[in-house]
Amino acid sequence: MMTTILAIESSCDDTSAAVLRDNRLLSNVIASQKVHEQYGGVVPELASRAHQQNIIPVVDAAILQAGITKEEIDAVGFTRGPGLLGSLLVGVSFAKSFATALGKPLIEVNHLQAHVLSHFIVSSEFGVRSSEMATTPTFPFICLLVSGGHTQILLLKDYFDIECLGTTIDDAAGEAIDKAAKIMDLGYPGGPVIDRLAKEGNADAYQFATPHIEGYNYSFSGIKTSFLYFLRDRLKENPNFIEEHKADLCASIQKTIVSFLLKKVERAALDHKVRQVAIAGGVSANSFLRSELQRICEKHHWQAFIPPFQFCTDNAAMVGIASYFKYLKGDFADISLPPYTR
Ligand code: KG4
Ligand code: ZN
C-alpha cells in the first residue's frame, strides 16, 4: 500500500508544495518572492501577503505535476516552525483547511528536521541525486545544518533521534555571508552572489580571524565585524577598494567561513567515530563548502552526502519526506496546533 503525501512549506520567503508517494518525490513546486530584494532582506508583512497569493496556485501546480487527484492524498504535512509567524500561519491554516476538507490526517514538521531529512528523498526526476549521492546515509551520521537562521552540528542516530552537538552562539553562517555581501553592496540574498564572484578570486588574498569557541559551537558575529572594520580602513585609502578587489574579498570571506564550519565538523566526526558526513540548508548550496566537504571526506575515507541544489534552500519536498517518516509512525497532528517561531 503506497502513501501519498501533500506537503506545504511557508516558513520564510518561499512558498512551496510537494507531493510524495512513499519516499519518492512526484513534484516540488517553489514560488520565490522577489519583492524582498529591493529592501535588502525579508520583510515579514510582505512575505505573508505573498504566501497568501501563492499558496493555492502552488498547491494546484504540485498536484497537477504529480499527476494525482486530490482524493489520492493520504495526509497533509506542513512546516509548523521555526520561521516567521505571519508566513507560517498561511501554510498552517491552508494545510488544516485542506486536510479537513479531504477528511485526511495532518502532520506537523519542524523546518530544521526537514532540512536534515532531505537526504532521504528519492527522486528520479532530478537525476542529480544519482551522480552526487550514491546512496542515502545510514545511522549514525553527522549533518552540518547551515541555513539563513541556523548553524548546527547534528548527530543523527535515527530519523527523529537527533543530538545537537554544537550550535552558533550568535549569528548563523548564512546570516554572516549575507551581511558580508550587504557590506559590499551585493544585494540580497548575498550567499549565491558571493559564491559566484568567489570563483574568480584568490581565497588567500585576505585573512580574517576566526574566534576560539568551546567544543563544537560557533560564533560568526566577530568575523562580520572584522570584515567591516577591514573594509572601512581600506576604503579610507582607496574609495574603490571593494570594486577593485570584489572577487578576492568574496573568495577570502567565503573561505574563512567555510573553513571554520568544516574544522568543527571534521572534529565532531573524528570524536564520534562517524564515517558519514552530510550538509543541509541553504548554505549547503555553496560550491566551496561542497567541494571542501568532499575533499575532507576523501582524506579520511569518509562518505560525503551533499544534497542536490533544489533540496538545499527551502522546499516542500523535505517537508514531505519528514511527513512520510512521521506517517509511518502514526504521528499525526491535532488541528488546534499553533505555529511556533522559535
Ligand atoms: O535554508 P534557507 O533557504 O532558508 C532558511 O531556512 O534560512 O537558507 C538561506 C540562506 C541565505 O543566507 C542564503 O544567502 C544562503 O542560504 N545561500 C547560500 C547559497 N545559496 C543560498 N550561501 C552561500 N552560497 C550559496 N550558493
Ligand atoms: Zn530553511
Side-chain angles (χ1 to χ4, degrees):
M1 196 42 199
M2 298 278 225
T3 306
T4 305
I5 287 175
L6 169 73
I8 314 278
E9 155 65 39
S10 73
S11 64
C12 189
D13 61 342
D14 293 308
T15 319
S16 182
V19 176
L20 280 84
R21 188 149 278 166
D22 288 350
N23 54 357
R24 183 168 289 278
L25 185 66
L26 299 185
S27 67
N28 183 36
V29 177
I30 304 168
S32 302
Q33 304 178 0
K34 293 269 170 264
V35 61
H36 309 288
E37 280 170 12
Q38 55 184 305
Y39 300 100
V42 177
V43 184
E45 185 57 33
L46 296 178
S48 47
R49 219 177 292 166
H51 280 304
Q52 263 171 344
Q53 282 161 4
N54 294 342
I55 189 94
I56 290 172
V58 164
V59 169
D60 264 347
I63 291 173
L64 191 73
Q65 284 181 25
I68 62 154
T69 61
K70 288 201 291 287
E71 291 66 34
E72 290 176 72
I73 295 169
D74 295 304
V76 180
F78 65 92
T79 300
R80 187 181 167 201
L84 300 170
L85 186 60
S87 292
L88 288 164
L89 270 171
V90 176
V92 173
S93 314
F94 181 89
K96 285 177 180 178
S97 32
F98 204 68
T100 306
L102 294 173
K104 299 294 168 154
L106 275 169
I107 300 169
E108 58 136 336
V109 170
N110 174 291
H111 181 84
L112 305 179
Q113 213 157 45
H115 268 301
V116 176
L117 295 180
S118 65
H119 285 281
F120 296 96
I121 298 168
V122 173
S123 156
S124 58
E125 195 181 337
F126 306 122
V128 197
R129 192 171 209 282
S130 51
S131 58
E132 275 189 321
M133 320 165 63
T135 50
T136 54
T138 49
F139 302 109
F141 68 95
I142 290 229
C143 183
L144 170 70
L145 172 65
V146 268
S147 69
H150 295 83
T151 304
Q152 299 179 338
I153 300 181
L154 304 167
L155 177 63
L156 277 94
K157 300 168 189 167
D158 204 344
Y159 297 114
F160 299 104
D161 184 1
I162 303 174
E163 186 185 339
C164 181
L165 301 177
T167 184
T168 180
I169 58 168
D170 42 52
D171 293 354
E175 214 173 330
I177 293 174
D178 289 342
K179 282 178 182 167
K182 199 167 182 172
I183 292 169
M184 292 187 282
D185 206 15
L186 298 180
Y188 179 89
V193 185
I194 290 205
D195 191 349
R196 183 164 46 79
L197 293 173
K199 292 194 174 109
E200 315 288 321
N202 171 10
D204 298 312
Y206 309 107
Q207 259 78 47
F208 303 104
T210 47
H212 292 280
I213 307 287
E214 278 297 296
Y216 308 116
N217 286 338
Y218 295 108
S219 165
F220 287 97
S221 71
I223 298 174
K224 173 197 68 194
T225 313
S226 70
F227 187 66
L228 180 68
Y229 288 166
F230 169 82
L231 284 179
R232 192 186 286 176
D233 291 344
R234 294 301 155 102
L235 286 168
K236 272 184 207 149
E237 300 154 15
N238 174 9
N240 295 324
F241 184 79
I242 294 178
E243 205 46 52
E244 288 166 14
H245 301 90
K246 208 173 255 180
D248 286 351
L249 286 167
C250 287
S252 300
I253 192 70
Q254 176 179 269
K255 183 180 178 181
T256 303
I257 292 171
V258 167
S259 305
F260 184 39
L261 283 170
L262 290 178
K263 211 167 83 190
K264 299 233 174 184
V265 170
E266 187 176 12
R267 187 76 260 153
L270 286 169
D271 291 349
H272 291 82
K273 299 186 172 52
V274 167
R275 310 187 58 84
Q276 297 183 44
V277 182
I279 49 176
V283 182
S284 67
N286 184 265
S287 44
F288 188 65
L289 175 62
R290 296 164 84 91
S291 61
E292 279 297 284
L293 175 70
Q294 197 72 53
R295 185 185 62 77
I296 290 167
C297 284
E298 274 165 23
K299 180 179 82 183
H300 292 289
H301 303 288
W302 296 342
Q303 209 177 346
F305 290 90
I306 298 166
F309 290 113
Q310 49 274 74
F311 303 140
C312 293
T313 44
D314 290 346
N315 65 86
M318 66 186 193
V319 180
I321 192 74
S323 301
Y324 170 65
F325 292 129
K326 284 198 158 186
Y327 186 94
L328 294 181
K329 290 198 301 172
D331 188 351
F332 299 114
D334 190 88
I335 187 125
S336 65
L337 282 186
Y340 54 80
T341 52
R342 300 180 58 89

